Amino acid sequence: MSSYYLTTPIYYVNDHPHIGHIYTTLVADTIARYRRLCGDEVYFLTGTDEHGQKIERAAAERGIPPIELADEVVSRYHSLWAELGISHDDFIRTTEERHTRGVEAIVARIAATGDFYVSRHEGWYCAACENYYTEKELLPGHRCPDHEIETELRSEENVFFRLSKYQDRLLEWYDSEPCPVAPPSRANEVRQFVAQGLRDLSVSRATVEWAIPFPAHEGHTIYVWLDALSNYITALGYDGDEVGDLYRSLWQGDGVRLHLVGKDILRFHAVYWPAFLMSAGLPLPTTVWAHGWWLRDAQKISKTVGNIVRPDDLMKSFGTDSLRYFVLREMVFGQDASFSDEAFIDRYNSDLANDLGNTTSRLVTLSRRAFGDCLPPRRGAGGALATAAATAIAEYRRTMDEFAFSRALEALWRLLSQTNQYLVAHEPWKKLKDPAASGEVAEVLWNAMEAVRVVANGLLPFLPEKAPQVLAALGVEPGGELSALEWGGLPTGAELPAVTPIFPRIDKKAYLADAGDAPPVGKPAKKPKRQKKEAAEKPEMIQIDQFFETQLRVAEVKAAEAVPKSKKLIKLTVDVGEDSERTVVAGIAGQYEPEALVGRQVVIVANLQPAKLMGVESNGMVLAAEADGAPILLRPEKPVPNGTRVK
Ligand code: MSP
């Protein structure tokens, strides 16, 4: 068993987490879960970066001590990681004593090699990067090239680290096989940066108090990046000569030591950190992997623009696994990706609710109907579907090993689509009542459900909550090893639980209207410049039994009133027969006066999951034809009893 140590960046505590922060951690968690299935001895570290001027200033703005701010944000991180099912083994805070001790030990080792010297320093300082820039690196107006905020000209006496001394060794390191910096495009950037020549690095600050004091340099504190980067070994118990077992096995052993980082902090991890370690005579990471940036509607996410994507609402509306799925499916690991509410809902409805959820529940329903609430007996060796599954598994494993998560998910979804094609080709629903076809129905359903079982096992690293639910729906336990991906694991004839929806469909229009950013009726949504074409909802053919899953009924409007503060919504009380009344919210206020609706019959979707619209719970949806963006209500040609089924 080989060791697999992986880390996320440690997050600044000056702000609460957004999608960019959770992304690295979700990727790390997916890798950790996958490697555990591969049988590796995984150790997964995350944490918080709590020192430095940025935190000092944020706390001062709130009028609280920095540690109080840190405690508050750290507790948010803890609860968020628990909600998102993050399976980290440790969470390090740079304000912990174990960390401070380790940093002092690293600084002492670097000092012993003679790689520190004191010198006066003048440069343009960005408080957000905690970094100095030269004039030519800046944007016009002396602005930081990364944060685009104004920098300050500072002159102070600092301790310097002889970074320039490590230029050749760093270049050699990048040339080692396999290249320790990934993906290759990023490795080239780093190589070029280093090849241009490295300047020594100022590693102390005379003006930052909220930091670790620099040993033997009174009045100086340790540069926050030297402090922060050290977390990767202080968390393992690195403490100078007295190293702990974890450090010995994970950092000195021959296993994987992987740092996952965003592209903006690659230089710190692929240049400064290895140089510090070289100087201290300590082993280097085996890989530094830099991913791209999340944009929103193709624009940079920023507080000033006010387009930050916070995970909280998304998790509340769609569940945490849907968020995990979206970010891993949508971003090609290494490149930038754009978040939009629409793209999120489209992915959710098409991939999770339809392809995964509906396929599972249809199969379970058919099998329960045909085999007395049980799985079918196994027949045959799986034929073409087993071959398709073997291809999908091979592709999945290869792409997971390459960190090509979106392609691994595509491979699983290809198998789902092949399963649906297989079902359409055999049409088992037409043969359920034919005793002569029972063997064929058993074979087709067993194979199709086995393919879904394989997919769900492949999804365990991505959807730790929902993938086990899909497996439970198929009457199986989640597999704890990759061998569970192999064909043949579905039991024969076992009892099947009744179907409950795993991914209830989201009403996109209602969600967007509720989120307050739906386009006004009749006007198309303005697309931000350069917005890439979002995945359009594909027109899919459905089976008749899928249509019958939707219950359409005639209902009579008994009362109607406008929803307060909404331009579009009307709250209807409708009678759906047998004296049962319910509330349905409809976006028809632009076209209809509430009073004119009373007494009128409409058609509603009667078995829709309840949804809240502007705070009012809606239990169904009124059908309307859309003409030039305006809703025109449907009604029966002549009055029929309330509750009459429409089909
Ligand atoms: N504290 C440093 C890291 C020290 S590691 C020794 C830091 N913290 S951070 O909170 O600002 O950022 C943490 C991570 O979030 C970085 O990897 C950064 O790339 C990532 N992201 C922040 N915004 C992002 C997006 N919009 N998209 C993707 N990731 C981005 O830097």
Side-chain angles (χ1 to χ4, degrees):
M1 189 156 74
S2 55
S3 68
Y4 201 105
Y5 175 44
L6 78 168
T7 66
T8 70
I10 50 171
Y11 301 98
Y12 286 129
V13 289
N14 58 330
D15 194 11
H16 283 236
H18 64 61
I19 189 169
H21 304 124
I22 66 167
Y23 177 67
T24 327
T25 308
L26 289 179
V27 168
D29 188 62
T30 305
I31 298 174
R33 287 173 183 274
Y34 174 71
R35 296 312 318 183
R36 285 189 200 111
L37 291 176
C38 294
D40 289 338
E41 182 202 330
V42 171
Y43 198 82
F44 169 13
L45 174 72
T46 188
T48 40
D49 186 353
E50 304 186 12
H51 288 131
Q53 196 162 49
K54 208 199 284 264
I55 320 297
E56 210 170 44
R57 286 187 178 169
E61 271 167 33
R62 296 255 315 262
I64 55 175
I67 193 67
E68 209 174 291
L69 175 65
D71 286 346
E72 175 194 306
V73 178
V74 165
S75 87
R76 177 65 197 120
Y77 269 107
H78 279 307
S79 59
L80 184 64
W81 295 158
E83 285 166 59
L84 282 164
I86 303 302
S87 59
H88 51 290
D89 296 286
D90 195 3
F91 185 109
I92 182 139
R93 299 182 58 173
T94 55
T95 47
E96 285 174 78
E97 217 261 318
R98 59 170 173 158
H99 175 73
T100 316
R101 231 180 22 238
V103 173
E104 283 163 0
I106 293 166
V107 167
R109 277 186 85 117
I110 298 177
T113 33
D115 280 342
F116 289 142
Y117 63 93
V118 177
S119 175
R120 178 149 282 283
H121 179 56
E122 188 173 273
W124 296 91
Y125 193 74
C126 169
C129 308
E130 309 264 11
N131 206 11
Y132 281 101
Y133 287 96
T134 59
E135 186 125 21
K136 72 173 195 273
E137 286 171 324
L138 295 175
L139 298 175
H142 294 115
R143 283 175 306 123
C144 164
D146 197 7
H147 295 91
E148 299 177 17
I149 56 172
E150 264 185 50
T151 54
E152 299 160 28
L153 184 61
R154 279 200 194 170
S155 164
E156 59 178 55
E157 199 174 70
N158 285 156
V159 178
F160 276 80
F161 169 69
R162 292 185 204 281
L163 182 62
S164 54
K165 178 176 150 188
Y166 292 93
Q167 178 169 345
D168 292 341
R169 279 183 65 190
L170 284 167
L171 289 170
E172 267 169 44
W173 185 55
Y174 305 141
D175 286 339
S176 51
E177 275 294 323
C179 178
V181 182
S185 56
R186 299 276 167 226
N188 287 339
E189 270 171 31
V190 171
R191 209 180 268 118
Q192 267 174 27
F193 170 76
V194 174
Q196 274 169 14
L198 290 174
R199 280 179 299 127
D200 289 347
L201 183 71
S202 130
V203 289
S204 80
R205 297 287 178 265
T207 47
V208 181
E209 278 175 31
W210 178 240
I212 304 173
F214 207 112
H217 289 277
E218 208 169 317
H220 289 254
T221 52
I222 295 176
Y223 172 44
V224 68
W225 274 98
L226 171 53
D227 166 349
L229 289 160
S230 307
N231 90 89
Y232 300 131
I233 60 174
T234 61
L236 301 180
Y238 179 79
D239 192 4
D241 298 327
E242 294 290 312
V243 298
D245 286 349
L246 271 179
Y247 178 83
R248 221 171 277 125
S249 67
L250 298 173
W251 201 262
Q252 290 182 321
D254 53 11
V256 170
R257 298 183 288 277
L258 164 69
H259 298 315
L260 295 166
V261 298
K263 63 181 183 183
D264 54 317
I265 57 170
L266 178 61
R267 189 180 294 182
F268 299 96
H269 284 81
V271 182
Y272 301 171
W273 176 228
F276 293 149
L277 289 166
M278 285 171 184
S279 170
L282 302 174
L284 306 184
T286 55
T287 310
V288 177
W289 226 109
H291 63 72
W293 267 54
W294 276 100
L295 311 173
R296 179 168 200 161
D297 300 321
Q299 285 181 316
K300 193 170 173 180
I301 291 178
S302 102
K303 260 195 182 168
T304 340
V305 178
N307 62 352
I308 299 225
V309 184
R310 302 268 181 212
D312 316 69
D313 290 343
L314 293 169
M315 292 191 313
K316 217 184 295 153
S317 305
F318 305 104
T320 53
D321 274 11
S322 313
L323 181 54
R324 292 178 68 113
Y325 176 78
F326 177 81
V327 294
L328 280 132
R329 175 65 186 80
E330 197 74 5
M331 184 178 261
V332 173
F333 196 52
Q335 297 176 14
D336 289 349
S338 185
F339 177 92
S340 78
D341 288 338
E342 268 197 278
F344 192 104
I345 298 174
D346 286 341
R347 275 253 171 254
Y348 176 94
N349 278 343
S350 118
D351 297 7
L352 297 176
N354 190 53
D355 298 342
L356 181 59
N358 276 357
T359 306
T360 309
S361 47
R362 281 178 65 205
L363 284 169
V364 173
T365 307
L366 288 171
S367 182
R368 278 170 57 89
R369 222 184 282 161
F371 300 97
D373 294 345
C374 288
L375 279 171
R378 182 175 182 176
R379 299 274 169 126
L385 206 51
T387 312
T391 310
I393 296 163
E395 172 76 357
Y396 168 84
R397 293 186 65 156
R398 194 174 59 72
T399 47
M400 287 301 278
D401 290 341
E402 290 169 0
F403 297 162
F405 309 107
S406 55
R407 294 211 339 256
L409 289 168
E410 268 167 28
L412 298 180
W413 255 257
R414 212 169 302 124
L415 179 57
L416 277 179
S417 136
Q418 285 158 335
T419 306
N420 277 310
Q421 286 162 17
Y422 172 82
L423 286 168
V424 169
H426 292 87
E427 299 186 313
W429 44 86
K430 287 195 176 158
K431 303 167 192 162
L432 295 186
K433 289 186 187 143
D434 176 3
S438 158
E440 187 198 335
V441 171
E443 181 171 350
V444 170
L445 290 184
W446 194 93
N447 287 342
M449 291 168 99
E450 170 59 1
V452 177
R453 187 198 64 81
V454 168
V455 169
N457 269 300
L459 286 174
L460 285 170
F462 294 91
L463 311 178
E465 187 190 337
K466 295 291 188 178
Q469 286 179 20
V470 174
L471 289 167
L474 299 172
V476 276
E477 293 275 313
E481 293 171 10
L482 266 199
S483 57
L485 287 173
E486 254 129 65
W487 189 264
L490 190 74
T492 174
E495 206 170 309
L496 278 179
V499 174
T500 46
I502 299 173
F503 297 101
R505 215 180 156 76
I506 304 279
D507 181 338
K508 179 169 156 185
K509 268 195 178 165
Y511 179 85
L512 293 178
D514 206 23
D517 56 1
V521 175
K523 286 193 197 147
K526 266 197 225 138
K527 286 206 171 137
K529 276 185 239 156
R530 289 171 42 229
Q531 184 175 7
K532 81 166 188 229
K533 204 168 172 282
E534 304 295 358
E537 270 179 301
K538 349 170 205 166
E540 278 162 300
M541 305 309 282
I542 58 165
Q543 300 298 330
I544 190 78
D545 60 327
Q546 282 179 284
F547 171 73
F548 282 121
E549 282 171 18
T550 312
Q551 264 195 35
L552 301 177
R553 291 192 186 275
V554 172
E556 184 185 335
V557 179
K558 293 288 184 191
E561 60 184 282
V563 171
K565 294 198 201 126
S566 168
K567 284 195 197 133
K568 291 203 301 186
L569 301 181
I570 295 186
K571 176 180 156 191
L572 304 171
T573 307
V574 297
D575 174 354
V576 271
E578 291 162 3
D579 290 334
S580 85
E581 289 193 349
R582 60 167 89 185
T583 301
V584 176
V585 178
I588 53 174
Q591 282 65 38
Y592 295 89
E593 292 300 327
E595 310 78 58
L597 294 167
V598 177
R600 164 183 182 138
Q601 281 194 318
V602 290
V603 180
I604 68 162
V605 180
N607 63 337
L608 204 60
Q609 294 276 345
K612 274 212 168 149
L613 301 177
M614 301 283 286
V616 183
E617 185 172 290
S618 178
N619 287 284
M621 185 174 86
V622 177
L623 293 192
E626 200 176 88
D628 295 331
I632 314 291
L633 287 175
L634 299 191
R635 67 165 113 191
E637 197 194 359
K638 55 185 179 194
V640 292
N642 292 338
T644 301
R645 184 99 195 246
V646 177
K647 35 189 182 173

